Amino acid sequence: MAEQDGGEFVREMMRWHFSPETGSPFWLKRAQTLDFDPLTDVRDFDDLGLFPNVVDELRDVGVRDLIPLGHGDAHAASVYESGGTTGEPKRVMFTAEWHRSSVEWFSDRLDEHGVPRDVDWLSAVPTGPHNVGAMAVDTAALRGGLNFALDLDPRWVKKLIADGRMDMASAYTDHLIEQIGFILTSQEVGVLFATPPMLERLAQHDRLVELVNQKVRTIIWGGTHLDADTRDLLRDEVFPNTRLVGGYGSTMMLGTSVERPGLGDDEPCVFDSFAPHTTFQVVDPETRQVVPYGERGQIVVHHLSRTALLVNNLERDFATRIAPPTDRFGDSVADVAPVASFSGETVIEGVY
């Protein structure tokens, strides 16, 4: 989408979400509490800052109230939940249209990285109510592969860690690694999709490392942060025969962003968003003002699609602000790392 079309895109999204014929019951009711009129006062991306951050309300709101009336058939939607890192899970819904667009966009980005098609995937990522598991299944299928999945429950690990039961958390992770071993040993796997904590634990098992280097052509990591030193170690020394491709996403983002292709080994991992539908801003957490390029701040995410309006969402991550590709809106981000606490809750990453 060209730069000059950004304002029209935002205005189109306002008309969709705040017209009685197409908007969701949640936003049509919420509009009555706003001190501005989205149809007349929100003209471009800068005006999205007028909106309150409503993500905490998604812990309790009836999910059917989130479905835009313009979609008609509620049965074409899927419900996904956050990982519960900062309290009770929040819920969003994906229309079939949005899920398909997200999978296609993700797959196109993998093509830019030279990720092979027509190979099978092993996905050591959360499934169940977490969208990343569904993304793995459908992306593998779109690219001509089967997906082998683990039954990975990140909330259980976070609960164990919060309760100080590190021995049980470690035992659960060993259980997951054992499952990975069963699949790597018996199946031909061309893509490994895993969270950084799972990759770090996998790296401690010489036989599994050997199998990855023999079989796997690309490792896609995502879901949480991976510091530069560990990334270099995994890429250069542990898994030198594979390609590492990073992703940064969340349920409240309704999708993911993908590492910019063509970066050198000494460059930071930069994530470009699915603009204009998902855009980042990197702000000073105290003033909410955008920081200069090259400086660190907290990530604010805006999501605008026919499926959902979820804007001005202060994420639980810090990052370095990077200029986006020339045809994109918002910021790109690098060196993403979680804050120590968020909304009064200690941030526990666990296996995710």
Side-chain angles (χ1 to χ4, degrees):
M1 179 171 291
E3 182 77 29
Q4 62 267 25
D5 295 334
E8 177 52 36
F9 172 76
V10 170
R11 294 189 291 274
E12 177 189 347
M13 291 294 98
M14 294 302 106
R15 291 191 293 270
W16 174 265
H17 286 287
F18 293 99
S19 296
E21 299 80 14
T22 54
S24 68
F26 172 81
W27 274 116
L28 294 176
K29 180 179 179 181
R30 196 66 168 76
Q32 301 170 20
T33 69
L34 302 176
D35 58 3
F36 63 95
D37 184 345
L39 292 173
T40 58
D41 296 333
V42 179
R43 311 299 295 167
D44 56 33
F45 276 92
D46 290 339
D47 294 331
L48 296 177
L50 294 170
F51 281 97
N53 183 4
V54 300
V55 294
D56 284 339
E57 299 175 31
L58 301 184
R59 303 183 199 275
D60 303 307
V61 66
V63 160
R64 285 184 177 271
D65 287 345
L66 299 175
I67 302 174
L69 300 176
H71 283 293
D73 185 6
H75 298 291
S78 298
V79 180
Y80 296 110
E81 296 186 355
S82 66
T85 300
T86 57
E88 294 182 17
K90 301 178 282 286
R91 295 172 190 86
V92 297
M93 71 93 216
F94 283 46
T95 61
E97 172 188 79
W98 176 250
H99 180 69
R100 182 173 57 253
S101 296
S102 297
V103 167
E104 291 173 350
W105 182 84
F106 184 44
S107 180
D108 288 346
R109 303 291 79 73
L110 298 184
D111 283 339
E112 292 176 355
H113 283 278
V115 177
R117 288 176 173 263
D118 301 314
V119 298
D120 295 335
W121 288 34
L122 193 172
S123 297
V125 296
T127 52
H130 309 286
N131 172 255
V132 64
M135 283 280 290
V137 172
D138 291 341
T139 305
L142 178 65
R143 301 176 64 80
L146 302 173
N147 182 70
F148 300 99
L150 305 189
D151 189 13
L152 193 160
D153 181 0
R155 293 180 191 161
W156 178 237
V157 178
K158 291 171 186 176
K159 185 176 180 64
L160 292 173
I161 294 173
D163 291 343
R165 302 164 75 180
M166 298 302 296
D167 57 335
M168 291 189 66
S170 181
Y172 182 78
T173 307
D174 286 340
H175 166 66
L176 297 174
I177 293 295
E178 183 181 47
Q179 294 180 63
I180 291 176
F182 293 152
I183 297 168
L184 282 175
T185 300
S186 63
Q187 305 297 322
E188 293 303 316
V189 174
V191 172
L192 172 61
F193 187 13
T195 65
M198 292 302 297
L199 291 175
E200 291 176 39
R201 183 63 72 94
L202 184 66
Q204 299 172 20
H205 296 263
D206 292 343
R207 174 56 182 157
L208 298 186
V209 168
E210 182 181 351
L211 286 171
V212 170
N213 280 306
Q214 286 176 358
K215 296 184 175 185
V216 174
R217 293 159 63 186
T218 299
I219 295 173
I220 303 170
W221 60 269
T224 184
H225 76 291
L226 180 63
D227 67 82
D229 289 342
T230 304
R231 175 172 165 253
D232 290 348
L233 179 66
L234 292 174
R235 182 191 61 208
D236 300 334
E237 298 186 30
V238 182
F239 303 117
N241 295 346
T242 69
R243 175 192 296 106
L244 258 67
V245 178
Y248 166 60
S250 70
T251 303
M252 296 301 102
M253 200 184 296
L254 276 82
T256 191
S257 58
V258 178
E259 179 180 348
R260 182 178 295 178
L263 297 172
D265 288 351
D266 295 330
E267 293 182 90
C269 184
V270 177
F271 296 111
D272 298 319
S273 71
F274 185 4
H277 299 292
T278 303
T279 53
F280 301 141
Q281 288 180 303
V282 182
V283 304
D284 182 309
E286 300 297 327
T287 66
R288 293 295 186 95
Q289 297 299 306
V290 175
V291 302
Y293 288 129
E295 295 195 10
R296 292 187 66 75
Q298 202 158 349
I299 299 174
V300 172
V301 176
H302 302 300
H303 177 93
L304 289 161
S305 69
R306 282 165 33 107
T307 285
L309 172 68
L310 199 55
V311 298
N312 219 16
N313 172 26
L314 187 68
E315 278 282 359
R316 55 180 176 79
D317 300 303
F318 275 95
T320 302
R321 185 182 181 222
I322 303 293
T326 54
D327 60 343
R328 307 279 181 89
F329 297 99
D331 297 328
S332 293
V333 296
D335 297 320
V336 177
V339 298
S341 63
F342 187 70
S343 299
E345 298 283 345
T346 300
V347 173
I348 300 173
E349 294 295 339
V351 292
Y352 194 40

